[in-house]
Amino acid sequence: MLQTNNVHHLKEVTSPALFGAEPDSLKALFRKQPVECLAAGQSLFFEGDAAKHLFEVVEGSLRIFKIISDGRRVITGFLHAGDIVGVSLKSHYLYSAEAIVDTRIRRFSRKTFEAEVARCPDLRPEVFSRLCDEMAAAQDQMVLLSRKNAEERLCTFLLRQVQRGPGLRGNIAIVELPMTRLDIADYLGLTIETVSRTMTKLTQRGIICSIGRHAVRVMKHGVLAQLSGDDEYYGDERSQISYAAGNHH
Amino acid sequence: MLQTNNVHHLKEVTSPALFGAEPDSLKALFRKQPVECLAAGQSLFFEGDAAKHLFEVVEGSLRIFKIISDGRRVITGFLHAGDIVGVSLKSHYLYSAEAIVDTRIRRFSRKTFEAEVARCPDLRPEVFSRLCDEMAAAQDQMVLLSRKNAEERLCTFLLRQVQRGPGLRGNIAIVELPMTRLDIADYLGLTIETVSRTMTKLTQRGIICSIGRHAVRVMKHGVLAQLSGDDEYYGDERSQISYAAGNHH
DNA sequence: CGTTCTCTTGACAGCAGTCAAGACCCGTGG
DNA sequence: CCACGGGTCTTGACTGCTGTCAAGAGAACG
């Protein structure tokens, strides 16, 4: 948790001022707002509520999800420190948002936000850019849900977490997984049992190595990438994949 | 995509006090552009191409899709007359676009488009609104792909086509399906065989009735809605669903 | 230390995928 | 007009991945 927070700071500082304007002008809006705290499991808002606010995640993680008819839940995304909730808002929230762990947020009135964006042209590219990023992520998720098998889904998921994280040292990275297995399952369109079984298999093959329940050490980043199904091409490079149990811990 | 969403969006965008713009100002931009023709099967652009243009579909239909590693195709959406392609663009196209049938389009330079939007504040709410509609549709699609079974997927798909269409007369509507079964399968995350079998079942139960390959008559709109899995609640109303073959032809 | 929740593992079932064959549609050319 | 050929669609038999159900192990918390 603290690590991701530090990284977020790093990103902010090192992000080059390519655009002339200060890079995180959007977040600057939030900076003066008071910080609020959400306990793990607490709801921030519900799908269908009037969308009165936007939120910045200061620390912690949120899940955003929809519930359909008979109680099935679909998690459409996770949000972490530095993310902004609700840029793509209509008049009502499209999804519910809950804290996964104890989380700190800042709040911004939607009305004021829109006025600020209208007033300050420098903000618009960033709003637009965040929307497009969200759209690109949604499309990648559609690909995952539409055509990937359980192993590919989980590998893709783990890779995404690696990319968010503190970067890999050598070939090895540690990724935090603050969410539960059920959260992961509902995000990947699987059951909790399939997530669990697939993680066990990846562990047995020495590709990952569990560190408690909420962290994983990625031992073979390249193999993970191959198994994710996102590679553009592969010939016989698949041979790199080891089906034998590797040396873990 | 959902009617409820459209209602919100209408309220928001057409509210004259807030924006005072003509509703379709965006399309007005395209109106002066020359019309180009695409033959069925022809590509408009490819995923990864530099995104130099936006397009308005004047007549016909497009499929937009991504291809992953071993050739698997995921159709992320269909576009029809009146839709605009590429509002959510980054510097490169996120997906490929192909004509499903002979299609007529208008083209607009991305650079000019952005200049126009910067110059004319009235356009911005509409751009934003279209982006949000796209996002809402993407999330509905994630729900479909994540948690719905074959029958629910197909019923949801058919319902969406009905909502796009000329409206239902009485309880019955005719929906055009210009795309092939393979297109539908790649859109719904199924195989062509499963799509075919599921349509056969719906036909046998008298819920729909095929009119050639590219059109369907919806006989029981309410049942279709129940089977789509989007209903908020149901008690014993399921009893309305008939498992006996209905009277068709 | 016991309760509760989460996670793992196993046995089994079922939905959808795969493979295969044949029907149907439609444009082309005889 | 009909025959032909290629593509699309339907249908059947079978397989297999993932879901379901169930039990037990492991963590977290009071």
Side-chain angles (χ1 to χ4, degrees):
Chain A
M1 204 66 44
L2 292 172
Q3 274 180 328
T4 41
N5 214 21
N6 289 337
V7 167
H8 149 230
H9 262 283
L10 275 178
K11 266 186 197 155
E12 212 170 340
V13 170
T14 58
S15 173
L18 274 180
F19 305 95
E22 73 179 294
D24 277 321
S25 42
L26 243 188
K27 269 192 253 169
L29 275 188
F30 286 88
R31 201 151 292 150
K32 290 174 187 165
Q33 302 301 108
V35 169
E36 302 172 46
C37 292
L38 274 144
Q42 203 174 341
S43 290
L44 188 56
F45 54 79
F46 294 95
E47 180 183 356
D49 282 0
K52 294 209 192 309
H53 296 95
L54 287 83
F55 303 89
E56 181 203 5
V57 181
V58 176
E59 186 190 351
S61 299
L62 300 172
R63 57 185 162 243
I64 60 181
F65 61 92
K66 284 166 168 271
I67 304 282
I68 58 174
S69 50
D70 51 350
R72 288 171 283 187
R73 183 181 73 160
V74 177
I75 291 183
T76 55
F78 296 110
L79 293 166
H80 309 279
D83 292 332
I84 291 177
V85 196
V87 180
S88 70
L89 284 183
K90 314 181 72 98
S91 56
H92 294 253
Y93 293 113
L94 293 171
Y95 41 72
S96 306
E98 272 177 14
I100 291 175
V101 294
D102 292 350
T103 297
R104 297 190 303 144
I105 55 146
R106 291 201 189 93
R107 181 188 299 259
F108 208 89
S109 150
R110 178 163 176 66
K111 200 177 286 183
T112 318
F113 177 82
E114 284 176 356
E116 281 297 311
V117 173
R119 194 180 60 78
C120 176
D122 290 345
L123 290 176
R124 289 202 294 266
E126 199 187 339
V127 171
F128 186 75
S129 168
R130 280 181 183 262
L131 263 172
C132 292
D133 285 345
E134 208 174 322
M135 198 65 224
Q139 288 188 4
D140 286 340
Q141 190 68 355
M142 285 193 260
V143 169
L144 180 148
L145 294 171
S146 190
R147 288 284 176 244
K148 290 186 178 178
N149 63 28
E151 186 175 271
E152 290 171 322
R153 291 181 197 202
L154 198 57
C155 290
T156 303
F157 173 71
L158 290 172
L159 273 180
R160 287 183 196 164
Q161 307 310 309
V162 170
Q163 283 155 13
R164 281 199 337 98
L168 28 124
R169 293 159 302 187
N171 198 24
I172 296 180
I174 293 178
V175 296
E176 307 279 335
L177 302 175
M179 66 290 288
T180 66
R181 295 286 184 269
L182 184 57
D183 287 332
I184 297 175
D186 285 350
Y187 179 59
L188 297 180
L190 300 170
T191 59
I192 188 175
E193 293 94 335
T194 299
V195 169
S196 187
R197 272 189 266 266
T198 307
M199 293 208 67
T200 300
K201 275 181 212 153
L202 292 178
T203 301
Q204 285 168 348
R205 287 163 61 184
I207 296 165
I208 62 172
C209 172
S210 292
I211 307 172
R213 281 180 172 178
H214 293 296
V216 160
R217 186 191 306 269
V218 174
M219 312 297 287
K220 300 179 182 176
H221 187 271
V223 177
L224 208 61
Q226 288 185 329
L227 292 177
S228 76
D230 281 334
D231 281 8
E232 286 302 312
Y233 52 82
Y234 10 53
D236 298 356
E237 301 178 52
R238 281 248 184 210
S239 57
Q240 194 186 327
I241 300 175
S242 154
Y243 280 84
N247 53 338
H248 46 293
H249 84 14
Chain B
M1 195 65 46
L2 295 175
Q3 276 179 327
T4 45
N5 287 338
N6 287 335
V7 168
H8 297 150
H9 136 222
L10 275 178
K11 268 184 199 158
E12 212 170 343
V13 170
T14 61
S15 168
L18 279 178
F19 301 104
E22 72 178 293
D24 275 328
S25 41
L26 244 187
K27 269 193 252 171
L29 274 188
F30 286 87
R31 203 151 291 150
K32 291 173 188 166
Q33 302 301 108
V35 170
E36 300 172 49
C37 291
L38 274 147
Q42 204 173 340
S43 290
L44 188 55
F45 54 79
F46 294 95
E47 179 182 357
D49 282 0
K52 295 209 190 310
H53 297 94
L54 288 83
F55 304 88
E56 182 202 4
V57 181
V58 176
E59 187 189 352
S61 299
L62 299 172
R63 56 184 162 243
I64 61 182
F65 61 93
K66 284 165 167 270
I67 305 281
I68 57 174
S69 51
D70 52 349
R72 288 172 283 186
R73 184 181 71 161
V74 178
I75 292 183
T76 54
F78 297 108
L79 293 166
H80 309 279
D83 292 333
I84 291 177
V85 195
V87 180
S88 70
L89 285 184
K90 315 183 70 97
S91 56
H92 294 254
Y93 293 114
L94 293 172
Y95 41 71
S96 306
E98 273 177 12
I100 291 175
V101 294
D102 293 350
T103 298
R104 298 189 303 144
I105 55 145
R106 290 201 189 94
R107 181 186 300 259
F108 209 88
S109 150
R110 179 164 176 65
K111 200 177 286 182
T112 318
F113 178 81
E114 284 176 356
E116 280 296 312
V117 172
R119 194 180 60 79
C120 177
D122 290 345
L123 290 176
R124 289 202 293 267
E126 200 186 340
V127 171
F128 184 75
S129 169
R130 279 180 184 264
L131 262 173
C132 292
D133 284 345
E134 209 174 322
M135 198 66 225
Q139 289 188 3
D140 286 339
Q141 191 67 355
M142 285 194 260
V143 169
L144 181 148
L145 294 171
S146 188
R147 288 284 176 243
K148 290 186 178 178
N149 63 28
E151 185 175 272
E152 289 171 323
R153 292 182 196 202
L154 198 57
C155 290
T156 303
F157 173 71
L158 290 172
L159 273 180
R160 288 183 194 165
Q161 307 310 309
V162 170
Q163 283 157 12
R164 281 199 337 99
L168 32 123
R169 291 158 304 186
N171 197 24
I172 295 180
I174 293 178
V175 296
E176 307 281 335
L177 302 175
M179 66 291 288
T180 66
R181 296 285 185 270
L182 184 57
D183 288 332
I184 297 174
D186 285 350
Y187 179 59
L188 298 180
L190 301 169
T191 60
I192 188 174
E193 293 95 333
T194 300
V195 170
S196 189
R197 271 189 266 267
T198 307
M199 292 209 68
T200 300
K201 274 181 212 152
L202 292 178
T203 301
Q204 285 169 347
R205 287 162 60 183
I207 295 164
I208 63 171
C209 171
S210 292
I211 307 173
R213 281 180 171 179
H214 293 296
V216 160
R217 185 191 307 269
V218 174
M219 311 297 287
K220 299 179 181 174
H221 187 271
V223 177
L224 208 61
Q226 287 185 328
L227 292 177
S228 75
D230 281 332
D231 280 7
E232 285 303 311
Y233 52 82
Y234 11 54
D236 298 358
E237 302 179 51
R238 283 249 182 207
S239 57
Q240 193 185 328
I241 299 174
S242 154
Y243 280 83
N247 54 335
H248 49 294
H249 274 185

